[in-house]
Amino acid sequence: MSLDPATVKKVANLARLALDEKQLDFYGNHMNNILKFIDQLNEVDTEGVEPLSNVSDIALRLRDDVVNDGNKQQDILANAPEQTSGFFVVGKIVE
Amino acid sequence: MSYILQGQTGDWEVVMGLEVHAQITADSKLFSGAATDFGAEPNSQVSLVDAGFPGMLPVLNKVCVEKAVKTGLGLKAEINPVSVFERKNYFYPDLPTGYQISQYLHPIVGKGVIEIDLADGSTRQIGITRLHLEQDAGKSIHDQHPTKSYVDLNRAGCALMEIVSEPDLRSPEEAAAYLNKLRMILRYLETCDGNMEEGSMRADVNLSVRKVGVKEYGTRCEIKNVNSIKAVTMAIEYEARRQIEVIEGGGKINQETRLWDPVKGETRSMRSKEDAHDYRYFPDPDLLPLKLETKWIEEIKQTLPELPDEKKNRFKGEYGLPTYDAGVLVAEKIRADYFEEVAKGADAKLAANWVINELLGALNKDGKTLEETPVKAVQLRGLIALISDNTISGKIAKDVFAEMFVSGKEAAAIVEEKGLKQVTDTGAIEKIIDEVIAENPDNVAEYRSGKDKLFGFFVGQVMKKMQGKGNPAAINDILKKKLSS
């Protein structure tokens, strides 16, 4: 499997990365190398094998419906570039 | 009832499916221990998991799983023993992780059905495609600043059930009936409070049009932001017309997301969302597949309450109520419970009439809910007992009820206090009737010469003299006898 330049551009766009032609070429090659490496898995015959979600036989752990977190507004906002009256402030996003 | 729109080139039919997001009633979030209360201080109910801090791991809330299963069972749907959480990837400021944990290929609940009730008394079966669990996003506020938006993450991570219907709906009325019934079922199950104003139940409408008789579906648009049953009706009417006009004008419908603008009363394209449909779902590596034990599903099944349709049928059979009355009484569980408490050992039809016409009417007039009723069920039963055993007439009972509604006193006490007991003593009634006949010789003569309509006048005069306390049946009997003699 190999990605054409248009697909590389689309993936970059979906990831909100602005890449120029040179960078698209550079990262496109990187991605194709990764895909080529992963492609080796296709050599294994997996016909009739259930997908494996984990190797140890453990089940998903559930928690009780108890409030024991939150109430840390200042921690949550500590890294915000901009904040006011408890809100994060971002550029206008109205449609 | 078919809903057909006339265009310039012929008759058109509307095809719709609804996606409803229902917030699960739970104390904490789907994957974190932060609280879920509505209207809290911004960003005060946010954990580091919800805010997408690096290294934080989601842990699934057991009650949310239980309520999703319970809802599935209430929708008579298949419960999938294995379901998988996946990441739905998109960027938006109120989604701190850059992905929403949702279910995609393997939802927790599969196909089910909802029966909707239409105004003409008929019903229709509407298919449910699936129900899956997912996280809600935060809330953006756009009207506080000219160039900035404010973000509150309190809602981020709250548990949602997305309930998707088949494209079985054909009219605004059916869409409204579907939402009403779904809301009713969720409230009976106590899995979602169904509060559309607070956004705990939100609907997106998928809509396309086709010429009557055509089998293939047209290209559909998804309408977002329809947040009341009235808005759903209006948005459908507008969007159907718009699509017909585009097609008849030689244009093509683009599959797109459109926003309902309740102020302008129109839908408009959300162009920025065009690329967003490439969500690149993949299984969330932080969460193992969710496996449900049959025993647990069985236990949840045991907790299912009697649902609205079953209750309605029972009310018709057990109490002999007409379909309409039964429908009004089961609309809210608390209302149905109240009625059954009143009807215990009382005349059920009388009980239904009093609950529907008098009690609900009085509450409505005062802007009160049934939770706030000053007249308790057992007190209303007491009033009805006084009517049934002829202690008071139905007319006096209305006055007694009005007094009960204000003071919260027992009916019997009010009747005693004000001396409202019905007079059934025929001697006393006869005496009054004699008086009335003596006082109105002209009317008596006219009545006897054939003016039957005057009978009502005499009844009125007698009642007036008896301050409404005369037994109507006895008055009628004796009057008739005396007037014709």
Side-chain angles (χ1 to χ4, degrees), chain A residues 73-87:
Chain A
Q73 191 195 51
Q74 278 322 305
D75 288 352
I76 295 297
L77 292 168
N79 296 320
E82 200 181 339
Q83 55 165 291
T84 190
S85 355
F87 290 101

Side-chain angles (χ1 to χ4, degrees), chain B residues 325-437:
Chain B
D325 287 6
V328 172
L329 290 172
V330 304
E332 295 279 348
K333 186 162 177 291
I334 175 176
R335 192 184 289 177
D337 291 346
Y338 185 98
F339 161 73
E340 290 210 271
E341 189 60 35
V342 176
K344 253 184 209 162
D347 179 332
K349 282 186 189 168
L350 208 50
N353 276 338
W354 274 85
V355 171
I356 295 170
N357 298 320
E358 303 305 323
L359 179 73
L360 294 181
L363 288 169
N364 201 19
K365 211 172 131 203
D366 271 20
K368 284 192 173 116
T369 65
L370 189 51
E371 280 93 339
E372 303 162 317
T373 178
V375 180
K376 306 284 167 251
V378 57
Q379 292 177 303
L380 186 55
R381 194 202 303 154
L383 177 65
I384 290 168
L386 294 179
I387 305 169
S388 294
D389 70 6
N390 281 325
T391 305
I392 54 173
S393 67
K395 191 167 171 298
I396 290 282
K398 289 193 185 182
D399 298 337
V400 175
F401 177 78
E403 171 81 25
M404 290 168 80
F405 200 80
V406 174
S407 65
K409 280 188 196 161
E410 301 295 328
I414 294 168
V415 169
E416 193 63 40
E417 223 169 78
K418 304 211 159 175
L420 297 172
K421 253 190 196 153
Q422 183 160 255
V423 179
T424 43
D425 170 9
T426 46
I429 296 173
E430 253 178 78
K431 202 176 139 247
I432 302 283
I433 289 177
D434 287 340
E435 281 174 35
V436 169
I437 288 177

Side-chain angles (χ1 to χ4, degrees), chain A residues 6 10-12 14 19 21 24 29-30 32 34 43 46 50-51 66 72-73 82 88:
Chain A
K10 191 185 171 194
V11 172
L14 286 170
L19 301 180
E21 289 304 317
L24 278 173
N29 277 332
H30 274 245
N32 277 325
I34 294 167
E43 292 166 18
T46 56
E50 282 286 306
V66 175
K72 48 175 74 135
Q73 191 195 51
E82 200 181 339
F88 290 95

